[in-house]
Amino acid sequence: MDNKTKYPRHVAVIMDGNGRWARKRGLPRVQGHRAGVIALKEIVKYSRRIGLEYLTLYAFSTENWKRPELEIKNLMNLLLEYLRNELEELKTNNIKLRILGDSSQLQAEVQQQLIKAVTETANNDGMILSVAINYGGRDEIIRAVKHIVADICAGKAGIEDIDQKFFEEYLYTKGIPSPDLVIRPSGELRISNFLLWQIAYSEFWFSDCYWPDFTAEMFEKALEDYARRDRRYGGVNSAD
Ligand code: IPE
Ligand code: IPE
Ligand code: MG
């Protein structure tokens, strides 16, 4: 059966398990993050090849600041390296980069690279690759509320304007449909503050595999599983 027509438009991935992948091999955690970037590149490439419209990756949460300073520094350096090395590849593949989260808290150098990559890919329309960095779902909702209140106080909107569609205009994901499928590897069965508003009706796919071991074949398996699910959205199956 060809399930491709039932494939998701938007897949969000919590890239987890890098540290445990490294520990299992007696390596420092940073090597796990390095291996994680290789997996990330494979998944981006595969997603683009199959024509996925939106791929969203959780790279650094608002809670990840609790980690040791050295690990944070390593993660930021890897992000810089990724942006520098992959920008041409993103452009060649017609991928548009979006950043979800509060970048203002990141090092100036990282901010500059992010702006450069977002600007230089802004006109691409092959796939939207959103990377969540210093992102937290609760943080995003509070930020939206503050902006809405400010707009109401400034007379730009009225309370009666607030509905779900209006609210979504204030989220980092503005203009991007909610994820159809959320994938979390590493064996954890939780959301860890990812896209809280947007996942209200998402399908979930969990795996025990650590992120650096995650392959395009596993990704495809997740999409195939998704294609067989019946998304009722609170309604009844059309065959019933
Ligand atoms: C995910 O891997 C990467 C980030 C959160 C930045 P982890 O570093 O959380 O790996 P584990 O969960 O400790 O194995
Ligand atoms: C979630 O992973 C965040 C990212 C993958 C960026 P964590 O490793 O930070 O989540 P917890 O601590 O297991 O909830
Ligand atoms: Mg983790």
Side-chain angles (χ1 to χ4, degrees):
M1 183 172 77
D2 183 14
N3 267 329
K4 298 249 182 312
T5 51
K6 290 185 185 161
Y7 267 18
R9 293 179 66 199
H10 182 180
V11 180
V13 185
I14 302 175
M15 305 186 291
D16 193 23
N18 296 349
R20 280 164 286 168
W21 180 93
R23 191 184 333 129
K24 206 172 85 183
R25 287 163 177 75
L27 297 169
R29 290 178 63 86
V30 64
Q31 295 303 333
H33 295 314
R34 230 170 235 296
V37 174
I38 297 172
L40 177 162
K41 287 186 198 163
E42 186 184 344
I43 296 309
V44 170
K45 204 162 138 192
Y46 177 77
S47 299
R48 178 70 188 103
R49 185 154 64 78
I50 61 164
L52 187 72
E53 288 178 69
Y54 303 91
L55 176 68
T56 299
L57 305 173
Y58 203 6
F60 192 89
S61 76
T62 46
E63 286 70 34
N64 287 146
W65 296 109
K66 291 177 195 159
R67 295 189 178 204
E69 212 174 303
L70 177 64
E71 177 160 356
I72 295 172
K73 196 168 150 240
N74 287 333
L75 283 166
M76 292 302 155
N77 284 339
L78 276 174
L79 175 63
L80 263 180
E81 203 177 297
Y82 175 79
L83 291 169
R84 287 197 180 119
N85 294 342
E86 293 302 302
L87 182 53
E88 282 314 310
E89 184 78 8
L90 294 179
K91 287 196 210 168
T92 313
N93 288 300
N94 196 18
I95 296 171
K96 175 173 174 158
L97 184 72
R98 284 267 303 253
I99 303 300
L100 314 180
D102 181 6
S103 322
S104 72
Q105 302 303 311
L106 306 174
Q107 294 162 27
E109 206 184 357
V110 176
Q111 288 188 43
Q112 281 157 17
Q113 274 300 321
L114 287 174
I115 292 169
K116 180 173 156 67
V118 167
T119 313
E120 292 187 16
T121 60
N123 294 324
N124 293 350
D125 58 6
M127 175 174 86
I128 297 192
L129 171 65
S130 303
V131 184
I133 304 162
N134 191 21
Y135 173 89
R138 288 184 170 179
D139 192 63
E140 178 182 40
I141 290 169
I142 298 280
R143 176 181 172 273
V145 170
K146 284 183 176 167
H147 283 148
I148 290 170
V149 172
D151 280 356
I152 288 176
C153 290
K156 291 187 205 156
I159 293 177
E160 62 288 354
D161 293 327
I162 305 175
D163 58 13
Q164 295 188 19
K165 199 167 158 281
F166 177 92
F167 191 77
E168 286 176 349
E169 292 289 301
Y170 288 82
L171 297 175
Y172 289 122
T173 49
K174 177 181 160 140
I176 298 175
S178 293
D180 299 298
L181 177 67
V182 178
I183 296 176
R184 181 165 196 162
S186 94
E188 309 299 356
L189 304 179
R190 55 176 172 255
I191 286 303
S192 302
N193 204 9
F194 192 38
L195 303 175
L196 297 182
W197 168 278
Q198 297 87 341
I199 58 169
Y201 253 109
S202 301
E203 297 292 324
F204 290 88
W205 197 88
F206 294 101
S207 155
D208 286 337
C209 169
Y210 296 141
W211 175 250
D213 288 329
F214 202 85
T215 59
E217 288 72 34
M218 289 179 206
F219 193 77
E220 189 182 5
K221 171 81 171 61
L223 303 187
E224 287 291 331
D225 287 350
Y226 168 88
R228 280 189 292 271
R229 294 191 192 176
D230 182 16
R231 298 185 77 186
R232 288 187 293 279
Y233 298 100
V236 288
N237 189 312
S238 49
D240 290 340

